[in-house]
Amino acid sequence: MLYRKVPKTGDELSILGYGCMRFPQKNGRIDYEYTKELLVHAMESGINYLDTAWGYHNGQSEEVVGKILEETGSRDRVRIATKLPHWLASSREDMDGYLDKQLKRLRTGHIDYYLIHDLTKGGWEKIKTMGFADFLDKAKKDGRITYAGFSFHDDIETFKEIVDGYDWDFCQIQYNLIDTTNQAGTEGLEYAASKNLAVMIMEPLRGGNLARIQPAEVGKIWEEAKTRRTPAEWALRWLWNRPEVTVVLSGMTETDQLDENLRIAEEGLPGSLTEEELELAKRAGEKYREIMKVGCTGCSYCMPCPFGVNIPACFEIYNSYHMFDDKRHEKFMYMSRLGGLLNKKSAASLCRNCGRCVKACPQHIDIPNELKKVKNDMEGPVMKIIVPVSRIYVPLRKKLDLLRKR
């Protein structure tokens, strides 16, 4: 296993991290024994960064990670990363409360890498009013967390504002062959690195889609390479070629996936791809974007929408839905990010066809018309049922938790 140092601290992290959002399941719950087998194999192979969060697997992920580390005596061998669900918090006290619960779930006295989860512009403004900086400063001082960071899903200007808004140790961004200009993108990767932040990469394979059967047009490009590689190898090696990348997170649900990624990680050195290979990767990324349903570059010139539609995110998820096979994953991402499940609703159905976005779009996209297609494909009866029910259930769960404490 290869390791890279966190710029501000010198802490050495495995270049391959274990994403704990997609553990194998059995009968609707995490398959504990198989997950334990995978994590033990990963740790014995040198992986020392485990990334989980409050809501992964409906709260099971943190508990399973903590139990496995305790049973195997492996806590000191790894760095645990988990995340504050800021959308569930309404006060400074709530933030402390969630952190304390996470420590119990993970059966540990401290969390090595603690993130504010899924920050957007709205989330950023909210946590500032709740005193997030004081919360993180004191949690670091009292030893409950070691390093502070954030994960991100918004535009580049918001990303830079957040990077500059606190003395972060690291950040986590979505970045892959396709998402070079979406969200933080390459510009954000380089900006964070210029500020000495470690950068953890999520969705390196776009939910596993870049590792599956490729669109024919992309396959033809890879066939030109002198060295044959699997789709997953191209995607991961392309990321590790960047010296700014610290850890690439992968949610490995099978032993074969883990073994393949471990093999690829053995050669994941910065600057290890040739100029010809980088050109092929660039062309492959361009081809992916070319065959997308909507030619949105994520520039956000159309934002803000006066009616609250997150236009770039709508098109990003809609494109993934049509390019890849995992339709359920993309529908869940749409509900979570845009449908009101985790954040304020910003879905395509909020569009009122005012036309302001059309005038602003440098790609000359008929945005209102495309948003109608997004609504038709991504929103339906299931979303209309799940989102309202969930939004009732979560506050009720919080009240029940408070009653139990009393």
Side-chain angles (χ1 to χ4, degrees):
M1 177 59 63
L2 299 175
Y3 297 84
R4 297 188 185 181
K5 291 184 178 181
V6 174
K8 287 187 177 181
T9 69
D11 191 24
E12 292 193 342
L13 303 177
S14 55
I15 64 169
L16 176 62
Y18 209 115
C20 303
M21 186 174 72
R22 298 187 179 99
F23 283 147
Q25 296 189 67
K26 181 190 291 184
N27 300 323
R29 295 184 64 81
I30 293 172
D31 184 337
Y32 182 78
E33 293 304 323
Y34 191 17
T35 298
K36 182 178 178 180
E37 178 184 322
L38 287 169
L39 283 185
V40 169
H41 179 27
M43 291 185 288
E44 289 177 345
S45 301
I47 290 177
N48 70 354
Y49 191 89
L50 309 182
D51 174 83
T52 183
W54 173 267
Y56 289 176
H57 286 282
N58 295 316
Q60 297 175 47
S61 179
E62 288 179 328
E63 294 174 354
V64 165
V65 169
K67 185 178 179 182
I68 290 172
L69 293 179
E70 184 178 72
E71 286 185 354
T72 59
S74 303
R75 174 64 185 95
D76 294 338
R77 296 172 58 183
V78 297
R79 317 298 194 270
I80 296 175
T82 195
K83 311 175 186 74
L84 172 74
H86 67 84
W87 56 88
L88 298 179
S90 54
S91 66
R92 169 69 163 66
E93 292 72 24
D94 282 351
M95 291 190 283
D96 278 307
Y98 279 108
L99 173 55
D100 290 340
K101 290 175 186 174
Q102 289 173 298
L103 290 167
K104 291 178 181 177
R105 281 182 172 186
L106 289 160
R107 307 186 187 198
T108 185
H110 74 283
I111 292 166
D112 304 283
Y113 288 82
Y114 196 65
L115 303 90
I116 308 294
H117 197 179
D118 191 19
L119 275 186
T120 60
K121 188 169 185 61
W124 174 237
E125 296 303 322
K126 176 187 174 183
I127 66 168
K128 285 193 291 185
T129 65
M130 290 195 300
F132 86 95
D134 182 63
F135 161 67
L136 292 176
D137 288 344
K138 289 184 176 176
K140 290 175 79 171
K141 187 175 181 180
D142 65 31
R144 286 180 295 165
I145 69 174
T146 307
Y147 306 119
F150 66 94
S151 65
F152 179 80
H153 288 291
D154 210 319
D155 60 59
I156 182 61
E157 294 309 317
T158 301
F159 179 75
K160 289 180 178 179
E161 182 181 342
I162 295 172
V163 167
D164 294 337
Y166 180 72
D167 185 20
W168 307 101
D169 300 298
F170 69 109
C171 64
Q172 186 167 307
I173 63 172
Q174 177 171 317
Y175 190 59
N176 51 60
L177 281 169
I178 297 175
D179 294 314
T180 55
T181 56
N182 291 339
Q183 300 185 29
T186 303
E187 184 177 351
L189 172 69
E190 294 174 347
Y191 188 79
S194 75
K195 302 290 184 175
N196 271 342
L197 270 63
V199 183
M200 319 311 188
I201 303 299
M202 57 181 157
E203 299 292 355
L205 303 176
R206 272 263 182 146
N209 287 304
L210 289 175
R212 299 188 180 101
I213 297 173
Q214 307 294 283
E217 300 95 322
V218 176
K220 289 178 182 177
I221 293 173
W222 294 133
E223 287 173 4
E224 298 177 29
K226 295 176 182 177
T227 302
R228 296 290 174 168
R229 296 188 174 102
T230 65
E233 186 166 4
W234 279 115
L236 293 174
R237 287 287 301 274
W238 179 82
L239 287 166
W240 283 320
N241 194 70
R242 302 284 316 221
E244 302 93 342
V245 169
T246 308
V247 175
V248 173
L249 298 168
S250 181
M252 297 162 281
T253 59
E254 299 174 5
T255 303
D256 288 347
Q257 293 174 357
L258 174 57
D259 285 338
E260 180 181 17
N261 288 359
L262 287 168
R263 175 186 62 80
I264 298 166
E266 292 177 1
E267 299 180 349
L269 292 167
S272 58
L273 295 183
T274 67
E275 289 299 320
E276 292 79 9
E277 288 171 331
L278 288 173
E279 181 60 29
L280 286 178
K282 180 181 178 182
R283 286 172 52 203
E286 289 171 349
K287 181 56 68 174
Y288 271 119
R289 291 188 287 274
E290 181 184 315
I291 61 180
M292 288 179 176
K293 284 283 185 179
V294 183
C296 175
T297 64
C299 69
S300 296
Y301 285 12
C302 57
M303 297 293 284
C305 166
F307 300 100
V309 181
N310 187 334
I311 297 169
C314 282
F315 291 151
E316 174 193 343
I317 298 173
Y318 176 65
N319 280 326
S320 291
Y321 178 80
H322 283 284
M323 288 174 66
F324 303 117
D325 295 331
D326 196 347
K327 307 296 186 188
R328 292 175 63 185
H329 170 75
E330 299 306 333
K331 285 246 179 163
F332 175 75
M333 291 298 291
Y334 189 89
M335 281 194 295
S336 299
R337 290 179 56 193
L338 308 176
L341 193 59
L342 298 182
N343 298 296
K344 184 178 179 181
K345 185 177 179 180
S346 54
S349 54
L350 295 176
C351 175
R352 295 296 177 266
N353 201 25
C354 70
R356 181 186 297 184
C357 52
V358 177
K359 297 175 183 177
C361 178
Q363 309 302 321
H364 308 294
I365 297 169
D366 185 351
I367 293 174
N369 187 54
E370 296 297 337
L371 287 174
K372 289 178 185 176
K373 298 176 186 176
V374 175
K375 175 188 172 183
N376 290 338
D377 282 6
M378 306 303 293
E379 301 180 40
V382 174
M383 191 176 101
K384 289 177 181 178
I385 294 170
I386 289 177
V387 171
V389 170
S390 297
R391 293 188 73 83
I392 293 170
Y393 171 76
V394 169
L396 181 61
R397 180 68 180 272
K398 285 179 67 177
K399 289 179 181 177
L400 288 172
D401 287 343
L402 286 171
L403 287 172
R404 288 193 190 100
K405 283 183 179 179
R406 293 174 186 171

